[in-house]
């Protein structure tokens, strides 16, 4: 039975991975207390020696994109240095390393969906740290999967969808940027596909197609289009909103300045993943519908109608 170690078990993706990977082997799910990725590589490798996993799945990351601008050192420690230490350990042990990265490694130019072999050009400290993590893996661990994804959300954890549900109940006017284009990726989808890929690896490790893959749902939208859609669906599900979703105003990013620059083009081309593993990716709206159903169903609210978002 494979020993599978997950980092960052309390994150959006870490939470879903505990569910999706459970049938595949013995899970060792760790949080920041059990495996702190800001500590030295030596300490990280000692922790891995203790657990001795066959597979390491690393959704933990420094994901505070704006904070990273003024704390690049910690972002690098977690997103790059720790990842390098994990990659070196994985190679010594002969373990598979599954890691996650982001569309923020690209410069956001153009309108064509980014392909895995396109030139990178991160525009933020977070993007630079994530790219450095990828490069450390490619250098040290041939047996890796790097899954680049975008706009992650889920029922567990903090994310744009949950923020919009809250604001939609509190405000009668909202402005959301409409010049950044991408696809919201459900943590559950990423976790399910991770499980599928690991299953394939376990069945045939020798012929496995290691490497970097893009993983996002089909289709594209802006943050504005995403907000309008999710609030329309929430209203249809009975959530009492103050805002009329049709009145959410689209604004350019320049009217919503943030410390970290976001890519305008966050589209990810996922042909390589689909062609290599025969995976059919769903359209982005279906993931939004599923998470809303989870969040707004009476069962999820202990039988009470959803009134206010925590
Ligand atoms: N969120 C997005 O929109 C997005 C988009 C593209 C790619 N990604 C990538 O997808 C992956 C999963 O993202 P996510 O949305 O699930 O992230 P998340 O919800 O922010 O979770 C990140 C996890 O990392 C843990 N962590 C942070 N610093 C740590 C440290 N020093 N030691 C150990 N654990 C630490 C956090 O622990 P605590 O719970 O203790 O804080 C948290 O559990 C990441 O690699 C991220 O870069 C995310």
């Amino acid at each position: 039975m494979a020993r599978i170690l997950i980092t960052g078990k309390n994150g959006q993706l870490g939470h879903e991975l505990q569910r999706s990977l459970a049938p595949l082997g013995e899970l060792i799910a760790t949080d920041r207390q059990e495996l702190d990725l800001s500590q030295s590589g030596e300490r990280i490798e000692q922790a891995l020696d203790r657990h001795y996993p066959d597979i390491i799945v690393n959704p933990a990351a420094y994901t505070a994109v704006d904070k990273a601008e003024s704390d690049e050192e910690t972002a690098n420690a977690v997103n790059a240095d720790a990842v390098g230490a994990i990659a070196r350990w994985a190679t010594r042990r002969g373990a598979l390393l599954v890691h996650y990265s982001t569309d923020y490694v690209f410069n956001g130019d153009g309108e064509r969906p980014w392909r895995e072999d396109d030139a990178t050009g991160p525009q933020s400290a977070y993007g630079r740290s994530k790219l450095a993590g990828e490069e450390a893996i490619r250098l040290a661990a041939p047996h890796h999967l790097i899954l680049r994804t975008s706009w992650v959300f889920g029922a567990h954890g903090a994310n744009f969808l949950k923020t919009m549900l809250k604001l939609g109940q509190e405000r009668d006017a909202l402005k959301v940027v409409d010049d950044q284009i991408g696809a919201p990726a459900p943590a559950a989808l990423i976790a399910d596909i991770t499980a599928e890929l690991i299953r394939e690896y376990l069945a045939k490790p020798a012929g496995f197609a290691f490497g970097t893959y893009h993983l996002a749902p089909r289709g594209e939208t802006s943050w504005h289009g995403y907000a309008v859609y999710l609030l329309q669906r929430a209203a249809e599900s009975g959530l009492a909103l103050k805002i009329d979703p049709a009145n959410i105003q689209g604004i350019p990013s320049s009217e919503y300045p943030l410390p970290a620059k976001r890519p305008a083009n966050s589209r990810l081309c996922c042909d390589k993943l689909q062609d290599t593993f025969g995976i059919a990716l769903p359209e982005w709206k279906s993931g939004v519908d599923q998470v809303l159903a989870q969040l707004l169903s009476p069962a999820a609210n202990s039988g009470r109608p959803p009134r206010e978002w925590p």
Side-chain angles (χ1 to χ4, degrees), residues 11-13 32 35-37 59-61 63 100-101 126 130 149 152:
Q12 300 192 84
L13 185 51
R32 189 193 290 258
L35 182 51
D36 183 351
L37 298 186
T63 53
Y100 303 91
S101 191
Y126 168 74
K130 292 295 291 184
T149 188
V152 178

Side-chain angles (χ1 to χ4, degrees), residues 188-201:
L189 175 74
I190 305 169
D192 287 344
I193 289 176
T194 300
E196 222 172 303
L197 299 178
I198 291 180
R199 210 171 270 123
E200 183 146 340
Y201 165 78

Side-chain angles (χ1 to χ4, degrees), residues 279-302:
I279 285 169
L281 290 163
E283 219 256 343
W284 69 267
K285 287 180 179 170
S286 69
V288 174
D289 292 347
Q290 277 170 22
V291 169
L292 286 175
Q294 246 178 301
L295 291 172
L296 302 177
S297 73
N301 291 278
S302 323

Side-chain angles (χ1 to χ4, degrees), residues 7-14 30-33 35-39 58-64 74 78-79 99-104 126 130 147-153 156-158 187 190 223:
T7 62
K9 70 177 181 186
N10 298 319
Q12 300 192 84
L13 185 51
T30 64
D31 62 15
R32 189 193 290 258
Q33 276 69 47
L35 182 51
D36 183 351
L37 298 186
S38 65
Q39 63 189 337
N58 183 41
Y62 186 109
T63 53
T74 315
V78 176
N79 292 348
H99 179 74
Y100 303 91
S101 191
T102 167
D103 57 287
Y104 281 46
Y126 168 74
K130 292 295 291 184
L147 302 174
R148 286 190 191 133
T149 188
S150 62
W151 301 11
V152 178
F153 73 105
H156 174 91
I190 305 169
W223 291 106

Side-chain angles (χ1 to χ4, degrees), residues 85-218:
I86 294 172
R88 288 189 292 278
W89 188 91
T91 298
R92 272 206 308 282
R93 159 77 176 93
L96 169 70
L97 171 56
V98 183
H99 179 74
Y100 303 91
S101 191
T102 167
D103 57 287
Y104 281 46
V105 299
F106 296 112
N107 68 10
D109 285 350
E111 295 191 352
R112 183 177 63 77
W114 297 103
R115 300 180 66 88
E116 288 80 354
D117 52 3
D118 279 333
T120 50
Q123 301 288 296
S124 62
Y126 168 74
R128 286 191 292 276
S129 71
K130 292 295 291 184
L131 179 60
E134 287 189 9
E135 285 168 348
I137 292 177
R138 283 192 279 267
L139 192 69
H143 290 182
H144 70 256
L145 272 178
I146 297 172
L147 302 174
R148 286 190 191 133
T149 188
S150 62
W151 301 11
V152 178
F153 73 105
H156 174 91
N159 53 58
F160 177 85
L161 178 143
K162 287 166 97 172
T163 302
M164 284 299 128
L165 286 176
K166 184 170 185 292
L167 294 179
Q169 293 174 94
E170 293 171 355
R171 300 194 191 167
D172 56 13
L174 277 176
K175 294 178 181 179
V176 182
V177 298
D178 62 4
D179 57 0
Q180 293 169 29
I181 309 296
L189 175 74
I190 305 169
D192 287 344
I193 289 176
T194 300
E196 222 172 303
L197 299 178
I198 291 180
R199 210 171 270 123
E200 183 146 340
Y201 165 78
L202 287 170
K204 239 182 173 185
F208 189 74
F210 301 102
T212 301
Y213 295 87
H214 289 174
L215 196 184
R218 282 189 293 114

